[in-house]
């Protein structure tokens, strides 16, 4: 351990050698600044086209510290120092901050925040697709308090829509697009209390099928909530935890299929092979559900993972981003940051397949986490590595990445665990935390909003989180605020199909 620390100290003392030669020249920084200035001046010519496409990328729990650490990781995976790297979202010309608090919570949960950035209305924590007039767990407060999402606004305007997630489609963030519930955990009627069932409240899986039956694409996880209680799972037939949960004995996949108009082709798939075998040009509706999509981490996953590097466009289980939150809650920063890098790859792919002239792309997060990295690390320090110093209190090393609370809190022989005695670079390593908790918590700070495309300049400064869908709807001439949409703009927008892809990449609070 002493030898390792000595090397780290020497590296810090020789930090001048860590500076790339070109960065020692003041002209390098001046030229970079001038190029950035010219790009900023070009933004004075605002893109005020009608958005034919809307894409919302949501990194669950992707706070600013996660964005920065993911940027460094991306560069280091490319054998660079990392700090100078650019994420795809970094290259979006407009950036704002969103205030994430719920109406009754300073530090929010994913349900209340999803209601804000999808439905345009702030709500109480734990409630989905309803106003702040609804009390969590109280079914009888729901009637008349339902609020609709930008997905509904798009459908009402005759547009095609989709939900793609690496989490369960019934979880808090995706469900705010279509459901109204006094409790985010009412995935099926098997999770609902008797008074809620007697009060006429419907579970979230049922609402997925019934509320907006013509969603063109639904991809995600959580299929057990779609099938009768104790029904064996197609993939895990011998595992009880994967069995169906529905008390009403309904097969919601069949109900989804039967609800489609005559002459329309609807396909249900549960495996990547089935998905790739489809001729999508001949399909009108697609429902794909795994038990729970795997975390697509190119550096962590075994060979053959459908979401491994090079296969992002064929990734089963939706696009990454939803499980950044999972990694942080478990104190496993490596999993969270690799997921964030994969989300950024997906953003790059989407950018290459669309045009900023007619597609408004927005990247944001529902909330942050109590995740940080520091310790005066030198340039190029491995993002999952040690800080180049010992604590001046307990004389032990520490990793740069730490959590304010969570499961990484460990006391060994009455003292803080010595991280040099463990494999802190392992994918399942739980970074040390200040306060012991079984699950790490969300953070309460603002999150970034990156925007590119028509009317992207409307996302600027500091906003309430519920402003986001209103700005997007304005850009696309959908929803209630369409007074600015003249006939010519609407005619231009109708020349090609309008596809609103709400890529809800997030999960569990």
């Amino acid at each position: 351990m002493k030898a390792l620390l000595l090397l780290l100290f020497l590296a810090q003392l020789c930090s001048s050698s860590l500076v790339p030669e070109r960065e020692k020249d003041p002209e390098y920084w001046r030229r970079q600044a001038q190029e950035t200035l010219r790009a900023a001046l070009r933004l004075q010519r605002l893109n005020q086209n009608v958005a034919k496409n809307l894409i919302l990328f949501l990194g669950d729990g992707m706070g600013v510290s996660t964005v920065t650490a993911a940027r460094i990781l991306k560069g280091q995976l490319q054998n660079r120092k990392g700090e100078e790297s650019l994420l795809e979202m970094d290259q979006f010309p407009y950036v704002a901050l969103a205030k994430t608090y719920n109406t009754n919570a300073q530090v929010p949960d994913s349900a209340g925040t999803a209601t804000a950035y999808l439905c345009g209305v702030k709500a109480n924590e734990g409630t989905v697709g309803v106003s702040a007039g609804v009390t969590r767990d109280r079914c009888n407060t729901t009637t008349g308090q339902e609020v609709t999402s930008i997905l509904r606004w798009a459908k009402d305007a005759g547009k095609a829509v989709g939900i793609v997630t690496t989490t369960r489609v019934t979880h808090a963030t995706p469900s705010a697009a279509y459901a109204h519930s006094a409790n985010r955990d009412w995935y099926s009627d098997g999770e609902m209390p008797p008074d809620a069932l007697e009060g006429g409240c419907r579970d979230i899986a049922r609402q997925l099928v019934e509320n907006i039956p013509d969603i063109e694409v639904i991809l995600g996880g959580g299929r057990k909530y779609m099938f009768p209680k104790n029904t064996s799972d197609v993939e895990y037939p011998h595992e009880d935890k994967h069995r169906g949960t529905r008390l009403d004995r309904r097969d919601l996949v069949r109900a989804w299929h039967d609800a489609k108009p005559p002459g329309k082709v609807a396909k249900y798939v549960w495996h990547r092979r089935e998905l790739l075998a489809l001729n999508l040009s001949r399909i009108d509706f697609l429902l794909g559900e795994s038990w729970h999509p795997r975390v697509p981490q190119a550096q962590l996953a075994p060979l053959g993972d459908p979401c491994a590097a090079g296969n992002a466009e064929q990734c089963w289980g939706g696009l990454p981003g939803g499980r950044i939150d999972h990694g942080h809650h478990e104190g496993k920063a490596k999993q969270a940051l690799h997921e964030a890098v994969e989300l950024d790859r997906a953003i790059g792919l989407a950018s290459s397949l669309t045009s900023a002239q007619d597609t408004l792309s927005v990247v944001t997060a529902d909330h942050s986490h109590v995740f940080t990295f520091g310790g005066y690390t030198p340039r190029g320090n491995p993002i999952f590595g040690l800080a180049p110093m010992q604590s001046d209190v307990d004389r032990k090393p520490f990793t740069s990445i730490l959590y304010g609370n969570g499961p990484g809190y460990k006391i060994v022989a009455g003292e803080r665990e010595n991280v040099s005695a463990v494999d802190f670079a392992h994918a399942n390593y739980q970074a040390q935390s200040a306060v012991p908790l079984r699950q790490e918590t969300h953070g309460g700070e603002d999150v970034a909003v990156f925007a590119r495309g028509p009317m992207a300049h409307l996302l600027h400064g500091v906003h309430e989180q519920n402003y986001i869908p209103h700005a997007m709807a304005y850009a696309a001439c959908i929803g209630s605020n369409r007074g600015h949409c003249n006939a010519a703009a609407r005619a231009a927008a109708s020349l090609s199909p309008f596809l609103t892809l709400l890529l809800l990449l997030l999960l569990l609070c």
Side-chain angles (χ1 to χ4, degrees):
M1 182 191 78
K2 291 182 179 179
L4 175 61
L5 291 174
L6 177 62
L7 289 174
L8 289 171
F9 284 129
L10 289 174
Q12 187 177 34
L13 291 173
C14 301
S15 60
S16 60
S17 65
L18 300 177
V19 181
E21 281 302 313
R22 64 180 184 178
E23 294 184 14
K24 297 177 182 179
D25 181 358
E27 283 304 310
Y28 167 78
W29 297 107
R30 293 175 183 135
R31 286 193 301 270
Q32 184 192 75
Q34 289 298 313
E35 290 171 5
T36 304
L37 178 60
R38 286 191 291 272
L41 290 170
R42 287 194 293 272
L43 294 179
Q44 293 183 93
R45 299 190 293 273
L46 299 178
N47 179 351
Q48 300 187 65
N49 297 338
V50 174
K52 299 176 183 178
N53 308 294
L54 299 177
I55 306 179
L56 175 61
F57 291 94
L58 197 288
D60 195 318
M62 190 177 68
V64 172
S65 57
T66 297
V67 171
T68 306
R71 178 189 304 130
I72 295 172
L73 174 60
K74 177 181 178 179
Q76 292 181 350
L77 291 173
Q78 298 168 344
N79 297 315
R80 300 161 64 188
K81 293 184 181 301
E83 297 83 4
E84 74 290 348
S85 299
L86 284 174
L87 294 168
E88 297 291 340
M89 65 186 88
D90 291 339
Q91 300 171 70
F92 282 26
Y94 298 96
V95 182
L97 292 175
K99 297 189 286 183
T100 63
Y101 68 92
N102 296 151
T103 47
N104 65 340
Q106 186 178 75
V107 177
D109 91 317
S110 295
T113 52
T115 303
Y117 64 75
L118 288 176
C119 303
V121 174
K122 286 225 170 192
N124 291 329
E125 61 86 25
T127 64
V128 171
V130 291
S131 75
V134 173
T135 302
R136 185 171 187 171
D137 294 323
R138 292 182 59 185
C139 168
N140 61 0
T141 64
T142 306
T143 302
Q145 300 298 322
E146 299 89 350
V147 293
T148 57
S149 74
I150 190 172
L151 187 142
R152 165 60 79 180
W153 308 342
K155 285 307 302 181
D156 288 346
K159 314 306 181 183
V161 300
I163 298 172
V164 182
T165 178
T166 51
T167 70
R168 301 166 186 166
V169 292
T170 50
H171 253 298
T173 309
S175 66
Y178 59 84
H180 316 286
S181 179
N183 190 315
R184 54 171 288 174
D185 297 327
W186 291 349
Y187 305 129
S188 77
D189 58 351
E191 285 74 41
M192 296 177 67
D195 66 299
L197 293 173
E198 293 166 4
C201 283
R202 294 176 298 152
D203 62 87
I204 294 171
R206 180 179 168 188
Q207 292 187 61
L208 172 65
V209 173
E210 296 179 349
N211 284 6
I212 310 178
D214 51 353
I215 299 173
E216 278 77 6
V217 176
I218 303 170
L219 293 175
R223 63 174 173 250
K224 70 178 183 178
Y225 303 114
M226 307 287 282
F227 294 102
K229 188 172 179 63
N230 292 325
T231 301
S232 295
D233 185 76
V234 290
E235 191 173 5
Y236 305 99
H238 304 299
E239 297 187 32
D240 290 344
K241 68 178 181 179
H242 299 317
R243 294 182 180 276
T245 64
R246 301 201 61 80
L247 301 177
D248 60 11
R249 308 302 299 170
R250 293 184 66 190
D251 179 337
L252 291 185
V253 172
R254 180 176 295 277
W256 169 84
H257 189 277
D258 292 346
K260 299 300 174 284
K264 296 294 184 179
V265 178
K267 291 290 185 180
Y268 170 77
V269 296
W270 62 269
H271 195 280
R272 177 175 179 261
R273 288 192 303 269
E274 297 175 304
L275 180 65
L276 297 182
L278 295 175
N279 183 343
L280 296 179
S281 65
R282 298 181 180 180
I283 295 174
D284 300 295
F285 299 96
L286 174 63
L287 172 61
E289 284 193 308
S290 66
W291 169 69
H292 211 314
R294 287 180 286 177
V295 181
Q297 298 163 191
Q299 301 301 315
L300 300 178
L303 293 175
D305 189 304
C307 298
N311 291 319
E313 68 275 16
Q314 298 180 348
C315 171
W316 164 245
L319 299 177
R323 303 185 74 180
I324 296 169
D325 190 69
H326 271 170
H328 281 324
H329 276 307
E330 295 178 11
K332 298 176 181 178
K334 193 164 192 176
Q335 297 191 9
L337 295 185
H338 274 281
E339 173 86 340
V341 171
E342 288 299 314
L343 168 62
D344 199 63
R345 281 168 31 82
I347 294 168
L349 176 63
S351 296
S352 70
L353 297 175
T354 58
S355 168
Q357 291 304 303
D358 64 7
T359 300
L360 173 60
S361 299
V362 176
V363 181
T364 189
D366 48 351
H367 53 73
S368 184
H369 278 268
V370 292
F371 162 84
T372 188
F373 68 101
Y376 301 114
T377 46
R379 178 77 177 269
N381 198 72
I383 192 62
F384 303 115
L386 293 173
M389 57 192 294
Q390 290 181 333
S391 164
D392 57 6
V393 176
D394 65 12
R395 304 300 177 185
K396 292 180 181 178
F398 59 95
T399 56
S400 172
I401 285 174
L402 297 167
Y403 286 94
N405 57 53
Y409 179 94
K410 290 181 177 66
I411 298 297
V412 177
E415 298 181 347
R416 180 173 67 92
E417 182 180 54
N418 191 329
V419 296
S420 64
V422 299
D423 183 3
F424 53 80
H426 193 278
N428 288 321
Y429 173 70
Q430 293 177 309
Q432 291 184 339
S433 67
V435 176
L437 288 176
R438 289 187 178 88
Q439 289 274 296
E440 176 264 5
T441 74
H442 295 172
E445 69 270 24
D446 300 348
V447 296
V449 185
F450 305 86
R452 166 184 179 267
M455 297 292 179
H457 55 277
L458 297 179
L459 291 161
H460 67 285
V462 180
H463 302 294
E464 294 286 0
Q465 194 171 36
N466 66 292
Y467 169 74
I468 295 172
H470 292 284
M472 295 181 71
Y474 183 95
C477 288
I478 61 176
S480 59
N481 189 2
R482 290 182 289 176
H484 63 291
C485 304
N486 58 42
R490 288 197 298 271
S494 66
L495 293 178
S496 67
F498 187 121
L499 180 60
T500 300
L501 288 178
L502 297 180
L503 304 183
L504 310 177
L505 312 180
L506 36 97
L507 181 77
L508 204 61
C509 74

